[in-house]
Amino acid sequence: MQLGSDNQTTGALLVLLCTACPQTEISLYCEQLHVCLQTNLPIFKLKESTVRRRYSDFEWLRNELERESKVVVPPLPGKALLRQLPFRGDDGIFDDSFIEERKQALEQFINKVAGHPLAQNERCLHMFLQDEVIDKNYTPSKIRHT
């Protein structure tokens, strides 16, 4: 994951989702993704970070942004309730194509959110992208440029 040299002067943000990380083995069966951030924007305390997130964490972030900010938050991909039914004839939520489609949709979501200047000031976004554990009892606040 690298930012292009042309982005270094204007400020850049790159968020990728991956299902595997060199340091850690993650089972797809627990539906966790690695959220990998690389940025040179001064508002973020870490210039590179990787955290594990579940779909429910994306839901939490979306709900927090809708409640606490003036950002129009894009929708998340739908829940996979029908894919969890037995006797479907496929792998359901563990189907490789479903996992890849969901990963791409979540990546689009987080890049739209993280790329929004107003959302970048929200503490919940910073926790989501950079804190190993999300403190869901946090006090909503704005991040100040340092």
Side-chain angles (χ1 to χ4, degrees):
M1 171 174 63
Q2 256 187 335
L3 294 173
S5 58
D6 57 334
N7 291 332
Q8 298 300 324
T9 56
T10 60
L13 179 73
L14 177 64
V15 182
L16 298 174
L17 299 185
C18 44
T19 52
C21 190
Q23 307 94 330
T24 311
E25 283 291 317
I26 296 291
S27 168
L28 294 178
Y29 295 103
C30 61
E31 294 187 73
Q32 288 185 337
L33 292 170
H34 281 89
V35 177
C36 306
L37 169 76
Q38 186 177 19
T39 185
N40 63 3
L41 295 174
I43 196 161
F44 290 95
K45 64 183 175 186
L46 302 173
K47 299 310 166 200
E48 291 188 21
S49 61
T50 301
V51 294
R52 292 184 207 179
R53 296 291 180 250
R54 297 180 58 109
Y55 182 84
S56 60
D57 297 323
F58 285 85
E59 288 180 312
W60 172 84
L61 175 63
R62 186 174 194 286
N63 291 337
E64 288 299 302
L65 287 170
E66 281 187 327
R67 186 170 57 108
E68 296 299 331
S69 74
K70 296 179 180 174
V71 177
V72 176
V73 185
L76 284 168
K79 284 207 169 252
L81 298 176
L82 294 178
R83 286 194 162 271
Q84 296 176 26
L85 296 174
F87 312 112
R88 286 181 39 92
D90 64 10
D91 291 332
I93 60 171
F94 307 117
D95 182 68
D96 289 340
S97 63
F98 170 73
I99 291 170
E100 185 57 31
E101 286 172 23
R102 174 168 272 191
K103 183 181 83 139
Q104 288 176 5
L106 289 171
E107 191 170 85
Q108 286 178 339
F109 166 82
I110 196 60
N111 275 290
K112 284 180 183 175
V113 168
H116 195 290
L118 292 177
Q120 291 172 2
N121 294 317
E122 297 296 331
R123 185 167 177 221
C124 59
L125 177 64
H126 287 251
M127 285 192 317
F128 180 88
L129 291 173
Q130 299 196 312
D131 291 358
E132 195 66 38
V133 176
I134 296 174
D135 176 10
K136 295 187 178 175
N137 296 317
Y138 83 111
T139 302
S141 63
K142 304 288 184 208
I143 302 292
R144 300 194 188 279
H145 289 275
T146 54

